[in-house]
């Protein structure tokens, strides 16, 4: 994750700087996977994942667990972009469902795009679409993130 993610607006504002800072602060697990954020905004997070041998299953294609892990990470990142961190809010995944449609081959790059289906005060629901390098749909993940607030 050497490239710093870009906010979608070309005129940088303090909000854009906050978005870039949150998006760049990916957990060690995302770095272990090799996840590279392409862009980040409260309504859309995009990342690429190169399928290395370490991420393959017994069939030599991208492991389903890696797909689910990337989607979980992006849903958490998207939620962080929509909560009040200064007030101590956080997030935790409470539900996730994955549909697998096609494999992603070793050496290919999976494009992962996360968009909101619901952004509420207590929960947020995100859909992550994973496509192969040729643009065909490989998987779709829908997950629910709980918004955590500090106790009074």
């Amino acid at each position: 994750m050497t490239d710093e993610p870009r906010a979608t607006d070309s005129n940088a504002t303090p909000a854009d700087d906050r978005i870039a800072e949150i998006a760049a602060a990916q957990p060690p697990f995302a770095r272990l996977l090799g996840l590279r954020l392409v862009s980040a905004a409260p309504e859309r997070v995009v990342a690429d994942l190169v399928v290395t041998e370490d991420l393959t299953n017994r069939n030599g294609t991208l492991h389903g667990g890696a797909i689910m892990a990337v989607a979980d990470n992006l849903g958490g990142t998207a939620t962080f972009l929509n909560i009040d961190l200064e007030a101590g809010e956080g997030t935790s995944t409470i539900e996730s469902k994955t549909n697998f449609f096609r494999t992603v081959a070793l050496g290919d790059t999976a494009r992962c795009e996360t968009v909101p289906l619901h952004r509420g005060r207590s929960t947020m629901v995100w859909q992550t679409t994973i496509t192969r390098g040729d643009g065909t749909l490989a998987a779709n993940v829908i997950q629910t993130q709980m918004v955590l607030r500090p106790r009074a």
Side-chain angles (χ1 to χ4, degrees), residues 113-125:
E113 180 177 346
T114 301
V115 296
L117 299 178
H118 167 74
R119 288 186 285 181
R121 291 183 333 109
S122 301
T123 61
M124 297 191 194
V125 180

Side-chain angles (χ1 to χ4, degrees), residues 18-123:
R18 176 186 171 273
I19 290 167
E21 186 177 308
I22 291 168
Q26 293 297 298
F29 186 61
R31 292 191 299 274
L32 178 69
L33 291 171
L35 183 65
R36 187 180 70 77
L37 286 174
V38 174
S39 64
E43 65 281 343
R44 184 172 172 258
V45 178
V46 179
D48 286 338
L49 181 70
V50 176
V51 182
T52 63
E53 188 173 2
D54 288 338
L55 298 178
T56 60
N57 57 24
R58 293 173 195 231
N59 299 317
T61 60
L62 183 60
H63 193 287
I67 289 172
M68 295 170 74
V70 166
D72 184 65
N73 189 84
L74 294 180
T77 296
T79 302
F80 263 88
L81 294 172
N82 285 276
I83 60 177
D84 187 352
L85 298 176
E86 291 180 10
E89 290 183 344
T91 186
S92 180
T93 305
I94 58 172
E95 186 272 338
S96 186
K97 182 197 183 304
T98 305
N99 286 102
F100 299 100
F101 300 103
R102 291 176 186 82
T103 61
V104 185
L106 176 64
D108 198 356
T109 299
R111 170 60 57 108
C112 312
E113 180 177 346
T114 301
V115 296
L117 299 178
H118 167 74
R119 288 186 285 181
R121 291 183 333 109
S122 301
T123 61

